[in-house]
Amino acid sequence: MNSMKPNDEGFTGLEAAIVLIAFVVVAAVFSYVVLGAGFFTTQKSQETVHSAVAQASSTMELSGPVIAHCDGSAVDTVRFYLQLASGGTQVDLSKIVFTTSTKAAQETNVWTAATNTYTQGPNVASGILAKGDMVFVELPVGVAVNANNAFTIDIQPDKGAALTMSRTAPPACTAGDHEVY
């Protein structure tokens, strides 16, 4: 006896395969989107970290003693050497700003107007402080720094953190040069 009912057992397997393929395609597209977003986020995070490190780290450091020249009653000039810190990036000398301050006053000078400098190193002549270069700075002090008074000099390049020097004028500010600590 032959039944008139169609045999559809073969279609069940085919339907299951189609559904399985659809799930795999959807999962592949989803994973591609998630991985792409993850790679993009990782790249942006890396750029942010590198930028933050460059801005937060000081690009310059002192090299040698800090000498204060006294005119007989107060400090009138401070002399020191600057060089790049280890791993520091090049500094455009024309964009450095010097801020000299005491408890009572503050004065800001830019590199060209405030300093009488001479340089050492092949790149400094072109206005760039690069690795291996050193620059001598003779900074006129326009604020009153009397004997035994504390003063601070902030050296701010165009990129990176400022280099801060806190020193105390000599106890007896006799005429001449004195190393300050």
Side-chain angles (χ1 to χ4, degrees):
M1 299 224 190
N2 211 353
S3 129
M4 298 298 276
K5 195 172 173 183
N7 187 358
D8 61 353
E9 291 177 9
F11 290 108
T12 307
L14 183 59
E15 290 171 354
I18 291 171
V19 170
L20 180 64
I21 290 171
F23 277 129
V24 168
V25 169
V26 169
V29 170
F30 181 71
S31 65
Y32 175 77
V33 170
V34 169
L35 286 174
F39 289 140
F40 178 75
T41 303
T42 301
Q43 180 182 5
K44 287 298 181 186
S45 298
Q46 186 178 17
E47 289 173 7
T48 302
V49 167
H50 286 298
S51 174
V53 167
Q55 289 294 324
S57 61
S58 180
T59 56
M60 296 181 297
E61 65 184 3
L62 288 174
S63 179
V66 177
I67 306 295
H69 181 268
C70 294
D71 61 4
S73 61
V75 175
D76 63 353
T77 307
V78 177
R79 299 180 184 117
F80 51 90
Y81 284 95
L82 289 176
Q83 67 183 12
L84 285 183
S86 178
T89 57
Q90 294 182 352
V91 174
D92 184 355
L93 295 173
S94 66
K95 296 182 180 177
I96 293 178
V97 176
F98 297 93
T99 303
T100 307
S101 58
T102 63
K103 289 182 180 180
Q106 177 176 330
E107 177 191 48
T108 301
N109 296 309
V110 294
W111 173 265
T112 53
T115 59
N116 177 9
T117 62
Y118 53 95
T119 58
Q120 299 176 5
N123 301 305
V124 179
S126 64
I128 302 295
L129 181 62
K131 183 178 180 183
D133 294 343
M134 188 181 302
V135 63
F136 179 76
V137 179
E138 186 171 358
L139 182 67
V141 178
V143 295
V145 180
N146 298 321
N148 221 19
N149 284 352
F151 64 97
T152 301
I153 299 174
D154 287 323
I155 306 163
Q156 178 66 55
D158 62 335
K159 294 180 183 174
L163 172 63
T164 302
M165 292 189 308
S166 295
R167 299 292 192 263
T168 302
C173 208
T174 57
D177 291 340
H178 305 275
E179 187 172 352
V180 290
Y181 302 98

